[in-house]
Amino acid sequence: MTPAAPRAGTPEELRRYDLLLAGFDLLDQAIAVFDATPKLVTWNKAMLRLLDFPESLVRVGTPFEEFVRFNVQRGEYSGGALNPAEVERLVAERMAAVRAFQPHNAERTRPNGQVLSIRGVPIPNLGFVTLWTDITEQRRYERLIERQNAELESRVRARTAELEAAKTRLDNLAGQLTRSEERMRRILDTIPAMIAYVDAGERYRFANRGYANWFGLDQQSIVGKSILEVVGPDAYAQVRPQLEQAYTGEQVSYEYSRINAAGQLLHARSAVVPEASEAGGVQGFFVLSIDITEQKAGQAVLIQAQKMEAVGQLTGGLA
């Protein structure tokens, strides 16, 4: 994550802030924060990778309009070259929508075929956070599932009326943060990501709203609890080996699952960023998580569709 400007704070606060930004650079999603003008304040590495922006454009203070104009001129929104009047019209339309500072979700297919989910979350009186997620593979899975379901239904209808097709729906999450403690907390509670800090004794010292909600808790009650108390013994058995690796000072990424109070199986992808102590050990961990339950469900539906296709082929052979 690239910092916005020279930062104020104690060395301890700055180190924690830098570690948190480093963790966001581990995420697959592209994240950017714009102020109220709107101009670019901070971003992560995935922004350049997913959106193919030149490094000279992605800098602190770049007006949002420059990104819009760059995309319009390279045909991102129109699929082809535009005359100057059309360029200005598209830029004006998009900037008018941006200055409304309204939450929004959109999906855009780039000229190279990449499908991006775009989510904008306003930060009252400060600016807004934008999250881009590459959902190309998810959409490919959906098309593949639809095609296989259609083929399966066609075969099964000719031989039996006992099979039905399954369908999936996927949603996308995201998030962002900035440097001051109060503003950062507001951003952390606004962005659609799960963030927590755990001390060396495996007790929570901070959790944002998304993290607490995912475990069915409020932010105040989760502080002081152990990881075992919050995630439960089954999930803790999955997480503990990753923590042991993080105790060596290594950043780790992993997936785990848990069953919530309603009996629903949930999945998450997490990155753990260890915080070194002055004595040389590890004094805590930053935990950055994303809910991938719907992604797992999509994969499960694809596997089920493939199994059902095999059953259809077998049924046809028997007939």
Side-chain angles (χ1 to χ4, degrees), residues 24-319:
F24 268 92
D25 277 334
L26 298 176
L27 298 179
D28 296 332
Q29 286 80 6
I31 300 171
V33 176
F34 293 87
D35 63 21
T37 37
K39 293 180 181 178
L40 183 62
V41 175
T42 187
W43 62 93
N44 69 347
K45 293 179 180 178
M47 181 179 178
L48 285 85
R49 184 177 69 253
L50 284 186
L51 304 179
D52 295 325
F53 286 137
E55 292 187 10
S56 59
L57 181 63
V58 183
R59 64 188 186 278
V60 174
T62 300
F64 190 86
E65 184 171 343
E66 288 191 22
F67 293 104
V68 174
R69 189 176 300 279
F70 182 86
N71 274 341
V72 171
Q73 291 175 339
R74 67 176 174 175
E76 286 284 330
Y77 308 133
S78 61
L82 299 173
N83 61 47
E86 291 173 326
V87 168
E88 294 306 317
R89 179 183 59 79
L90 275 178
V91 170
E93 287 178 357
R94 290 186 174 270
M95 289 307 300
V98 168
R99 291 192 178 99
F101 289 100
Q102 295 296 318
H104 64 272
N105 284 292
E107 187 174 307
R108 173 161 61 88
T109 300
R110 302 188 61 217
N112 63 4
Q114 180 186 37
V115 183
L116 294 179
S117 172
I118 306 165
R119 181 171 182 179
V121 182
I123 307 170
N125 303 318
L126 295 176
F128 62 91
V129 179
T130 299
L131 173 75
W132 295 269
T133 305
D134 187 342
I135 58 171
T136 308
E137 283 301 303
Q138 295 175 1
R139 293 297 178 255
R140 186 181 70 83
Y141 278 134
E142 289 178 350
R143 292 192 297 270
L144 179 59
I145 291 169
E146 290 174 359
R147 185 167 59 250
Q148 290 183 337
N149 282 345
E151 294 173 356
L152 177 61
E153 289 175 359
S154 176
R155 293 176 183 177
V156 171
R157 261 195 313 267
R159 298 166 179 86
T160 180
E162 297 177 358
L163 300 178
E164 297 180 352
K167 298 181 180 178
T168 61
R169 292 290 184 271
L170 302 173
D171 294 323
N172 303 295
L173 304 169
Q176 220 326 302
L177 68 123
T178 191
R179 67 186 185 280
S180 110
E181 182 176 354
E182 181 179 350
R183 290 176 64 190
M184 184 168 65
R185 184 180 294 274
R186 292 172 63 184
I187 292 173
L188 292 177
D189 282 339
T190 301
I191 62 176
M194 298 180 289
I195 304 169
Y197 179 78
V198 183
D199 65 21
E202 298 187 5
R203 292 196 175 273
Y204 287 91
R205 298 306 173 194
F206 170 80
N208 75 340
R209 184 181 298 118
Y211 193 97
N213 289 345
W214 201 73
F215 287 99
L217 302 171
D218 58 63
Q219 292 174 269
Q220 289 72 32
S221 67
I222 199 172
V223 173
K225 292 183 181 294
S226 68
I227 296 177
L228 176 59
E229 291 174 311
V230 172
V231 307
D234 292 339
Y236 183 75
Q238 304 170 54
V239 171
R240 179 60 191 174
Q242 313 300 330
L243 292 176
E244 292 178 353
Q245 186 175 354
Y247 270 114
T248 67
E250 181 180 350
Q251 297 182 11
V252 295
S253 298
Y254 58 92
E255 295 181 5
Y256 73 100
S257 60
R258 59 178 286 268
I259 297 176
N260 65 12
Q264 180 186 9
L265 180 63
L266 305 178
H267 301 272
R269 179 183 296 119
S270 293
V272 173
V273 182
E275 180 187 12
S277 67
E278 295 182 358
V282 172
Q283 67 180 23
F285 309 94
F286 291 95
V287 182
L288 309 169
S289 299
I290 295 176
D291 189 327
I292 59 171
T293 303
E294 294 189 3
Q295 178 182 338
K296 290 288 188 181
Q299 295 171 354
V301 170
L302 174 60
I303 294 173
Q304 181 66 21
Q306 292 171 338
K307 290 181 179 180
M308 297 300 289
E309 180 181 11
V311 170
Q313 292 173 344
L314 178 60
T315 304
L318 292 174

